[in-house]
Amino acid sequence: MKKMNDNILKTTYVFIGLFTILAVYLLVYLFTDSREDINNSYNKRQALLAEKVVRGSILSNDLNILAQTVVDENGDETRVYPYDELFCHVVGSFDMGTYGLEASYNFDLLTSESSIIDEVVADLNNEKLIGNNIVTTLDIQLQNVCYEALGQYDGAIMIMDPKTGDVLSMVSKPGYNPNDIEKIWNDIKDDDNGRLLNRVTQGLYPPGSVFKLFTLGKYIDSNKDTYDDYSYTCEGTVSFTDFSMKCSNKKAHGHLDLMSAFANSCNCAFVNIGEAINSDYLKEYCNEKLFNQDLPLKIPYKTSSFTLNSSDSEFIKCQTVIGQGETLVTPIHMCMVMSSIVNDGILMEPRFVTGITDKNGNTVKSYEPEEYTQLYSENDSELLKEYLREVVNTGTAYRLKNDNMDIYGKTGTAQINTTGMADSWFVGGVETESGETYAIAVVLENVSENTSPAVVVTKEILEILDK
Amino acid sequence: MQEIIIAISKYSIIILMAFYVYESFQAIRDTDDLKKRKYCFKQTFIMYLVHALCYTTIYLHTLQDKIIIFYGVQLIYFILVIEICKLIYKKYNRPLMNVMCMMLMISFTMLSRLSYDKTIRQFIICVGATIVAMTIAFFMKKVKKMREFSYIYAILGIGALSLVYALGAVTYGAKLSIDLGFVSVQPSEFVKITYVMFISGILYKSQTWKSVLLSGVLAAIHVVVLVFSSDLGTALIFSVVYLFLVFMATGKYSVLFGGLIAGSGAAFVAYKIFDHIKVRVAAWIDPWSIIDNKGYQIAQSLFAIGTGGIFGMGLYEGMPNSIPVVDQDFIFSAISEEFGAIFGICVILLSLNVFLIFIRTAFKCKDDFYRLICAGFAVSYGIQLFLTVGGAIKLIPSTGVTYPLLSYGGSSLMSTIFIFFIVQGVKINEEDE
């Protein structure tokens, strides 16, 4: 009998242990992971939190208000966006479904960092708590310049800081005024122009000659000892059995080495280079450079697609290596690739938010820059910089040449169809004398085929970085 | 005004519940009768107050007169149960009775908020079960040979489970219940009682390897039939109960640890064989990537608990109905969402209190058969609680078992009330001798 009781006692300890684990785990979970977990678009309880908390503000990198909730004397709340259309896609909007950062940080904005006593007092007085603010990386001046530079064009511009991954500017047109979203909702929700769409992350464009960066990269990769000896004589067109490829305006570039072929964006030379590359290996290389891959982003985005494989026809392959074909890319993807080239091959995660503050401005949580991956080796990034620099020094982006800054990049003109209209690209890196660095991606839609307005737009933006 | 009453009630309920838990643990310590009576009196007082505050809040949210009537009927039920027991069984265990009533009050409150009609049904079953259960102690006194029928219990248990396997209706991929036309019964809930009694009946007499093996074979048949019915949560409870009962009766560590190792092996094999275990494990490891389908339920449960936080959203101010099967497997998440995590932890502690009362009753028994059934019921109750709460908070994969006394479900409620009154019966009969 005594012996049985001893065993029962031991069993009891086991179960007291199990009960304790339950209680402790529950408490630890509430104070740690649960905050991350409940900030999920599947959590329908956000509407309930909004009844207890006044939504916090979204701030720019210098703590100006980009979005805030104003409460009138009747207690009615209005979400106000002081910059109207300027930040409509990246900050997003709130009243007709949530978009942009309003959506990604919904729960943080609806969480109030109050003491337990404040919470009880507010509850007993039937008052609302003030939600936390999010401090973004967005720079109002840069955003404004990009917005103005894009002008009447539809398209997208993104600028990021390659060292931190900070997203300084993100413009997409056409946009809408988030202050009026309820009034204009019926117009914009089915709009063919996709005014709600953030083209920087969700717009899929043919890359045009921008893609030559990847064809070049793969060629250098697999011809490490001989790429310097490459030479080609361009006659403006090159014929195959049942089709022919031509350079822009059928311009004959004459004798070219690898660097001048790239700088002048010579299609004929790149078709020739493409013949030396195995399609499957090119696909593998592109997958490494984040084609067909998920990106580390908290806002909605599309993945860039590259579908070429060895069973495709020669025509498709020739198209693909010069950036026509089936390939589609997002501006943010191109900006990230550039950012890694600027930053010695290291890609930082694009960072939109540096921290969360309470209503008094005290930091509740901060987000540090995070390295995402080594996209290029340090040598490769240096080498590609040289090629890209040549584009600005002697090639298609000569208009950007600037003695005060190191500028390198690649232009692109992607024909959309046979109408003679095209998308115009510039992607590149900038290093100023004071040591600041930027990665930039610009794409303009529906420009006439033989102009490259993206370079002009970029030039306007660079002027502000120059100061 | 209304909002203020609701807000004050919300915090009062949490504070009162914490006091209740404190008094509950005081009441089961070894103290003199006078002190014990004092704790029990305080417990009773707090319990009725919490119940009244809960139903005040429900009324203020619904403004339906039927809520007041339902509250009144419940109040009469609780007073009558306690008073009648006091009258017919002088030696009954008052702290156990109080905790049972408190759990039922919480259950009726939460279920009323989730679905009024279901709660009425649950309440009627509760009244019926209590009336039957109150005669248990009397029968235990008359029928001394209860312990002689081990094999009959085992055969009854295996028979009932086999019947479910043959005729059972499938819910959520498992065969759990038999539809009798007007009502559907979940026999495994009642087999939990006969199962503990048959093992105890064999092991109290002799603790030899032969008895261990014999009871083991019969227990294994129970478990295998449950596995065939895909009722894996119950199969797990039965396995654990067997191992601990053998350990408590014989002190054989080899059985306990050997069993746990073999059990882990069996669990791994089951994981490989059964798709619905794979689903639950996948949902446990990362519900967020499969939130559209497999991870939906556990994700909703975590949303509920996380959003509710320490103090809860308040009754009717959360969205517990967004959790699939909330009134059974995930009742704890609903409680934690609306009453808050402090209250939730109080509920866990109250369950620990129940466990300890069962164990203490076992401790004080002069009779080894009674000792083993009380300890067996304690283990069965404890492991079930660990599985249901652990599943809701994603400590372990969800096993689909209910929270005894709190979850919706007639069979579970009935069998749990019977178990409570069997333990009462043990105490009453032990002290009468």
Side-chain angles (χ1 to χ4, degrees):
Chain A
M1 172 177 153
K2 163 108 183 14
K3 197 168 162 292
M4 271 193 197
N5 273 357
D6 279 353
N7 301 332
I8 291 174
L9 191 63
K10 284 169 194 155
T11 305
T12 306
Y13 290 141
V14 172
F15 278 84
I16 291 176
L18 288 178
F19 278 76
T20 312
I21 291 170
L22 285 179
V24 171
Y25 180 88
L26 175 57
L27 272 183
V28 170
Y29 173 70
L30 272 181
F31 286 106
T32 55
D33 292 349
S34 79
R35 288 168 182 232
E36 202 70 32
D37 288 352
I38 61 176
N39 191 3
N40 185 306
S41 58
Y42 280 79
N43 189 352
K44 299 176 204 118
R45 289 165 177 81
Q46 38 196 269
L48 301 175
L49 280 180
E51 285 169 23
K52 296 185 183 247
V53 178
V54 177
R55 193 176 181 83
S57 302
I58 299 179
L59 308 174
S60 67
N61 62 355
D62 54 356
L63 304 183
N64 278 303
I65 288 167
L66 303 181
Q68 70 173 337
T69 294
V70 176
V71 186
D72 68 16
E73 60 262 35
N74 299 327
D76 291 332
E77 297 177 0
T78 320
R79 193 70 173 163
V80 176
Y81 301 89
Y83 293 90
D84 292 335
E85 194 174 316
L86 190 57
F87 290 96
C88 65
H89 294 105
V90 56
V91 167
S93 60
F94 169 66
D95 284 320
M96 306 299 293
T98 44
Y99 297 92
L101 296 176
E102 290 271 33
S104 313
Y105 289 86
N106 195 20
F107 267 83
D108 292 305
L109 293 165
L110 286 173
T111 305
S112 179
E113 200 63 27
S114 312
S115 70
I116 285 172
I117 293 162
D118 286 349
E119 200 178 316
V120 175
V121 168
D123 209 352
L124 291 176
N125 291 326
N126 203 24
E127 280 170 1
K128 282 187 164 190
L129 295 161
I130 307 295
N132 292 335
N133 306 319
I134 61 171
V135 181
T136 68
T137 54
L138 298 166
D139 185 289
I140 294 171
Q141 193 195 12
L142 261 185
Q143 178 84 355
N144 210 15
V145 168
C146 292
Y147 183 85
E148 294 299 330
L150 194 51
Q152 295 302 312
Y153 289 106
D154 287 352
I157 299 178
M158 172 166 172
I159 299 178
M160 69 188 269
D161 179 341
K163 287 180 194 146
T164 55
D166 286 1
V167 177
L168 302 171
S169 169
M170 185 176 263
V171 172
S172 167
K173 281 191 183 180
Y176 61 95
N177 185 341
N179 292 310
D180 299 334
I181 186 146
E182 276 180 69
K183 273 181 274 168
I184 55 174
W185 179 248
N186 283 328
D187 294 336
I188 62 171
K189 75 173 194 294
D190 312 311
D191 192 336
D192 288 340
N193 279 332
R195 288 162 75 187
L196 283 170
L197 196 73
N198 185 348
R199 283 163 155 74
V200 177
T201 59
Q202 294 168 302
L204 284 170
Y205 296 92
S209 298
V210 167
F211 188 79
K212 287 176 184 151
L213 177 64
F214 301 98
T215 309
L216 173 79
K218 181 60 209 169
Y219 180 79
I220 292 175
D221 233 26
S222 32
N223 300 282
K224 280 200 161 53
D225 302 322
T226 56
Y227 69 88
D228 244 353
D229 307 331
Y230 178 82
S231 77
Y232 181 80
T233 307
C234 168
E235 289 160 358
T237 59
V238 53
S239 294
F240 289 81
T241 41
D242 50 355
F243 67 95
S244 68
M245 302 292 294
K246 61 180 173 56
C247 278
S248 177
N249 298 331
K250 292 194 183 167
K251 182 181 173 187
H253 291 105
H255 183 77
L256 298 165
D257 62 6
L258 191 60
M259 192 174 275
S260 53
F262 184 69
N264 291 298
S265 205
C266 175
N267 286 347
C268 297
F270 267 82
V271 167
N272 179 259
I273 290 166
E275 283 174 343
I277 301 172
N278 175 307
S279 298
D280 289 334
Y281 291 164
L282 182 58
K283 181 168 187 179
E284 209 173 279
Y285 179 83
C286 285
N287 284 344
E288 278 171 27
K289 306 306 176 210
L290 304 178
F291 284 83
N292 309 314
Q293 308 295 318
D294 290 336
L295 302 178
L297 297 176
K298 271 188 93 176
I299 59 175
Y301 67 93
K302 296 265 167 56
T303 47
S304 298
S305 70
F306 181 86
T307 56
L308 184 71
N309 59 55
S310 46
S311 59
D312 284 327
S313 70
E314 192 169 28
F315 175 70
I316 300 259
K317 187 181 173 190
C318 287
Q319 292 281 325
T320 304
V321 294
I322 62 164
Q324 293 295 145
E326 310 281 312
T327 311
L328 291 170
V329 298
T330 56
I332 194 172
H333 174 206
M334 292 300 105
C335 195
M336 287 162 70
V337 169
M338 275 303 149
S339 135
S340 75
I341 291 174
V342 176
N343 193 34
D344 300 332
I346 297 167
L347 173 62
M348 302 302 289
E349 273 185 27
R351 180 169 71 151
F352 292 86
V353 173
T354 53
I356 293 170
T357 60
D358 68 10
K359 59 175 187 239
N360 301 319
N362 301 316
T363 302
V364 175
K365 183 175 181 184
S366 48
Y367 296 94
E368 298 307 319
E370 301 235 6
E371 189 179 321
Y372 183 58
T373 184
Q374 179 97 35
L375 204 57
Y376 290 95
S377 71
E378 204 179 329
N379 285 338
D380 283 355
S381 73
E382 279 309 316
L383 189 63
L384 289 175
K385 265 187 209 177
E386 278 177 41
Y387 277 79
L388 291 163
R389 204 172 278 128
E390 193 67 15
V391 174
V392 175
N393 286 341
T394 65
T396 52
Y398 66 91
R399 268 175 289 193
L400 295 181
K401 205 166 175 220
N402 183 324
D403 293 336
N404 301 329
M405 291 187 282
D406 183 16
I407 301 169
Y408 40 88
K410 183 76 193 80
T411 57
T413 306
Q415 290 149 14
I416 315 164
N417 42 39
T418 50
T419 57
M421 300 305 270
D423 292 339
S424 173
W425 279 92
F426 181 81
V427 300
V430 179
E431 300 180 20
T432 67
E433 277 184 332
S434 52
E436 282 158 359
T437 56
Y438 303 93
I440 183 167
V442 176
V443 59
L444 274 56
E445 297 173 13
N446 283 319
V447 304
S448 75
E449 205 176 309
N450 297 319
T451 59
S452 50
V455 173
V456 181
V457 167
T458 308
K459 194 172 169 63
E460 280 184 48
I461 298 167
L462 292 183
E463 273 162 23
I464 189 79
L465 298 180
D466 197 6
K467 281 164 195 163
Chain B
M1 186 60 198
Q2 212 161 304
E3 277 88 11
I4 297 172
I5 297 175
I6 289 172
I8 293 173
S9 300
K10 175 180 154 184
Y11 291 100
S12 308
I13 288 170
I14 295 170
I15 295 166
L16 288 169
M17 185 67 176
F19 274 119
Y20 188 88
V21 169
Y22 175 75
E23 300 297 341
S24 302
F25 280 92
Q26 289 290 342
I28 61 168
R29 282 171 47 192
D30 263 322
T31 44
D32 56 89
D33 275 0
L34 194 69
K35 269 191 179 164
K36 214 169 213 172
R37 222 170 281 165
K38 215 174 81 190
Y39 294 130
C40 287
F41 176 78
K42 279 198 254 179
Q43 251 190 322
T44 315
F45 176 76
I46 296 172
M47 165 169 110
Y48 284 123
L49 197 55
V50 168
H51 189 217
L53 286 172
C54 285
Y55 271 87
T56 308
T57 310
I58 295 180
Y59 176 73
L60 287 175
H61 275 283
T62 57
L63 297 176
Q64 286 174 326
D65 293 341
K66 65 182 182 186
I67 291 293
I68 300 178
I69 298 166
F70 186 34
Y71 167 71
V73 177
Q74 282 182 39
L75 198 59
I76 294 168
Y77 161 79
F78 286 119
I79 293 171
L80 281 182
V81 171
I82 293 173
E83 291 308 315
I84 292 174
C85 277
K86 208 189 279 181
L87 204 69
I88 58 177
Y89 302 119
K90 291 215 166 42
K91 304 279 185 183
Y92 85 118
N93 188 329
R94 182 62 192 269
L96 181 59
M97 178 60 78
N98 277 349
V99 178
M100 185 185 94
C101 290
M102 183 80 218
M103 289 288 212
L104 287 172
M105 286 170 178
I106 295 168
S107 171
F108 293 147
T109 304
M110 204 61 231
L111 293 176
S112 297
R113 183 260 180 271
L114 294 171
S115 159
Y116 175 80
D117 293 336
K118 277 185 168 181
T119 319
I120 297 289
R121 203 175 153 267
Q122 182 87 344
F123 179 70
I124 292 168
I125 292 168
C126 177
V127 173
T130 316
I131 293 170
V132 177
M134 285 211 269
T135 65
I136 287 175
F138 176 75
F139 277 111
M140 283 168 73
K141 194 169 187 171
K142 295 281 166 207
V143 189
K144 288 285 180 198
K145 295 206 162 158
M146 207 170 120
R147 64 201 59 205
E148 308 295 332
F149 305 130
S150 291
Y151 298 106
I152 294 176
Y153 300 142
I155 290 164
L156 273 176
I158 293 168
L161 295 179
S162 306
L163 214 58
V164 180
Y165 174 66
L167 309 172
V170 179
T171 42
Y172 303 112
K175 284 183 189 171
L176 301 175
S177 53
I178 294 179
D179 197 348
L180 298 181
F182 60 101
V183 64
S184 104
V185 185
Q186 236 184 75
S188 67
E189 292 290 350
F190 299 100
V191 177
K192 272 178 196 157
I193 302 174
T194 59
Y195 182 78
V196 168
M197 298 212 308
F198 106 74
I199 300 175
S200 307
I202 293 176
L203 291 179
Y204 94 95
K205 263 193 270 183
S206 101
Q207 290 94 43
T208 57
W209 276 108
K210 197 183 147 208
S211 313
V212 172
L213 205 66
L214 185 63
S215 58
V217 169
L218 290 168
I221 297 174
H222 281 82
V223 172
V224 167
V225 178
L226 284 167
V227 169
F228 275 113
S229 306
S230 293
D231 188 356
L232 300 164
T234 312
L236 181 57
I237 295 174
F238 276 37
S239 310
V240 172
V241 167
Y242 171 75
L243 293 179
F244 275 101
L245 260 178
V246 170
F247 171 71
M248 291 188 288
T250 66
K252 289 189 201 318
Y253 282 104
S254 52
V255 175
L256 185 59
F257 290 113
L260 289 177
I261 293 165
S264 310
F268 184 72
V269 172
Y271 170 76
K272 288 282 174 199
I273 296 175
F274 293 104
D275 277 340
H276 58 282
I277 300 188
K278 280 192 192 133
V279 168
R280 299 218 167 166
V281 172
W284 170 62
I285 292 170
D286 182 14
W288 314 111
S289 61
I290 45 175
I291 192 167
D292 272 322
N293 41 58
K294 299 165 188 166
Y296 186 80
Q297 190 174 38
I298 180 71
Q300 291 297 333
S301 170
L302 294 178
F303 289 159
I305 293 168
T307 314
I310 292 291
F311 295 121
M313 303 294 284
L315 262 180
Y316 282 89
E317 288 173 50
M319 295 176 80
N321 278 319
S322 69
I323 313 167
V325 218
V326 62
D327 55 9
Q328 293 180 16
D329 309 2
F330 286 90
I331 192 78
F332 182 79
S333 315
I335 290 173
S336 195
E337 172 175 16
E338 297 211 324
F339 286 100
I342 296 178
F343 191 91
I345 287 171
C346 286
V347 171
I348 295 175
L349 290 175
L350 270 194
S351 302
L352 175 61
N353 190 262
V354 169
F355 176 86
L356 291 177
I357 293 175
F358 283 15
I359 291 288
R360 276 185 61 87
T361 313
F363 251 72
K364 292 192 169 173
C365 283
K366 295 178 205 81
D367 176 336
D368 279 344
F369 175 71
Y370 283 160
R371 185 191 322 284
L372 284 178
I373 59 170
C374 287
F377 287 141
V379 168
S380 168
Y381 178 88
I383 192 67
Q384 183 165 351
L385 187 114
F386 182 75
L387 292 178
T388 185
V389 178
I393 64 179
K394 202 174 83 75
L395 174 64
I396 53 168
S398 158
T399 44
V401 302
T402 57
Y403 200 127
L405 284 188
L406 293 183
S407 290
Y408 175 73
S411 302
S412 163
L413 178 65
M414 254 184 179
S415 88
T416 313
I417 290 178
F418 290 168
I419 288 173
F420 273 63
F421 274 90
I422 292 172
V423 176
Q424 290 280 16
V426 168
K427 176 167 191 292
I428 292 161
N429 287 312
E430 279 279 333
E431 297 200 359
D432 275 358
E433 272 163 24

